[in-house]
Amino acid sequence: MERSISLDHGLIRTKGKQGCRQYRKLLRRVKVHSFRSIVTFESKWPPHLSRRCPATNVLGGMQKVFSHESSELKCTMKFAVFLPSKSNSHKVPAIYWLSGLTCTEQNFVTKAGSQQYAEKYGVAIIAPDTSPRGCNIEGEDDSYDFGSGAGFYLNATEDKWKTNYRMYAYITEELPALVNANFPILADKQSIFGHSMGGHGALVCALKNPGMYKSVSAFSPICNPTNCAWGKKAFNGYLGEDKETWKEYDSTCLVKEYDGPPLEILIDQGKSDNFLKEGQLLPDNFVATCAESKVPVIMRMQEGYDHSYFFIASFMGEHIAHHAKYLKA
């Protein structure tokens, strides 16, 4: 007997009794719930999530990419999920990864080397896209640092962008609810980290939601966007000219007001990072404000490293170990 699961980019076929057992095991990996805002698709995977490519076994775990119709962003969104082998029998903690400018979920999945460490520590990793896509907004694809691939993890308030560009709400509300309902995840055990624009997003999400994340870390984050060219362009476009509203998404401003559970922040920054030299990242401003506010931060300047995924991959294991320490406490 042969059964088939139809996917966007391939077909999984199983034959005989062993194949049937594998087929049933696949169908049990994700629970089925009813979400009116999420479309179904033609396969036996959860009717709310469309698998964008066949699941891949990695070091004992499973790497997958899903898409769904986002109620916050009013478009189809993709996100990657790595599930460690431990998730076959137990719910596991989750770490959310936020990528930087121009990236999709694929950059992290294929370049960061995170799977070996996620399997080692028994944690899931969720990596969403960096912005809404295909919203047909005039100018959304005109530049690398604004619009598509540059959502900046905020909720836009300017009329042109406010319907779709709500990445902050997507990351802190819609995506966790979707993940917790459909995967073997411990809802009260989550952490967050990211790179560059995504490092900014991770710090902002953690600081604006005391207690929501057990830990936070970042690679080369945009630490003070109200004072750098990238941030000024994005905030002016998404939030308007009132610079007081910009402070709601600036981690250097937010840390001054942080009043929540102890949060030890880990940041790695390459000394040979051209964007550091150009004044786009401004980590010293953040570290100084943390010291004033008595918020612990470990700031590690890494000699000879730049802004690339080679840098991220070099220290990925230490970051996941950092999160695992707090997720399993």
Side-chain angles (χ1 to χ4, degrees), residues 4-283:
S4 301
I5 302 176
S6 179
L7 307 174
D8 285 358
H9 299 296
L11 197 68
I12 294 177
R13 295 188 185 277
T14 60
K15 296 183 178 181
K17 291 182 179 180
Q18 182 179 2
C20 290
R21 286 195 296 270
Q22 293 172 344
Y23 178 81
R24 287 194 294 270
K25 184 177 180 181
L26 283 171
L27 301 189
R28 288 197 300 269
R29 287 190 66 84
V30 185
K31 297 187 299 181
V32 175
H33 295 261
S34 177
F35 280 81
R36 294 183 183 274
S37 62
I38 305 170
V39 298
T40 61
F41 80 118
E42 52 179 3
S43 87
K44 296 300 183 181
W45 287 86
H48 339 295
L49 303 174
S50 175
R51 283 244 330 267
R52 303 307 298 180
C53 60
T56 301
N57 288 315
V58 183
L59 301 166
M62 186 77 73
Q63 181 70 65
K64 313 174 187 183
V65 176
F66 293 89
S67 69
H68 72 112
E69 293 303 312
S70 169
S71 59
E72 286 288 355
L73 308 180
K74 307 296 188 296
C75 69
T76 302
M77 286 295 289
K78 291 192 286 186
F79 63 94
V81 178
F82 175 80
L83 292 174
S85 57
K86 186 177 179 180
S87 68
N88 290 328
S89 56
H90 299 87
K91 288 187 175 183
V92 296
I95 311 175
Y96 286 80
W97 168 267
L98 306 183
S99 290
L101 291 168
T102 76
C103 291
T104 69
E105 78 290 338
Q106 287 298 321
N107 297 75
F108 180 77
V109 169
T110 59
K111 297 179 180 180
S114 63
Q115 293 91 349
Q116 60 181 314
Y117 305 110
E119 174 64 21
K120 176 181 177 179
Y121 292 105
V123 297
I125 299 185
I126 317 300
D129 200 352
T130 54
S131 77
R133 303 278 178 175
C135 298
N136 298 316
I137 302 172
E138 182 183 1
E140 68 179 340
D141 298 320
D142 287 356
S143 60
Y144 81 95
D145 54 358
F146 187 82
S148 297
F152 267 85
Y153 305 103
L154 50 72
N155 290 342
T157 55
E158 288 294 282
D159 287 344
K160 186 175 180 180
W161 306 97
K162 66 182 183 181
T163 298
N164 302 100
Y165 278 71
R166 295 179 51 79
M167 285 298 292
Y168 174 74
Y170 179 72
I171 296 300
T172 60
E173 298 175 22
E174 182 180 6
L175 184 59
L178 181 67
V179 168
N180 292 341
N182 287 280
F183 298 94
I185 299 299
L186 293 167
D188 61 342
K189 297 283 187 178
Q190 61 181 7
S191 292
I192 192 165
F193 65 157
H195 171 236
S196 193
M197 177 186 72
H200 141 78
L203 292 172
V204 166
C205 290
L207 292 169
K208 285 173 71 71
N209 297 276
M212 181 174 178
Y213 302 100
K214 299 299 182 183
S215 54
V216 59
S217 72
F219 294 86
S220 313
I222 303 172
C223 289
N224 193 190
T226 58
N227 286 312
C228 75
W230 278 340
K232 290 176 181 179
K233 178 178 179 178
F235 287 6
N236 188 68
Y238 293 133
L239 302 174
E241 296 179 355
D242 183 358
K243 293 184 179 181
E244 284 300 308
T245 65
W246 298 7
K247 295 178 181 179
E248 296 179 26
Y249 298 102
D250 185 316
S251 56
T252 298
C253 299
L254 291 169
V255 77
K256 295 178 183 179
E257 310 297 330
Y258 182 76
D259 184 21
L263 188 66
E264 187 176 271
I265 302 166
L266 171 63
I267 296 176
D268 272 312
Q269 172 64 61
K271 284 189 176 181
S272 298
D273 187 331
N274 286 334
F275 298 119
L276 174 67
K277 299 172 184 177
E278 293 172 7
Q280 295 282 22
L281 308 178
L282 304 174

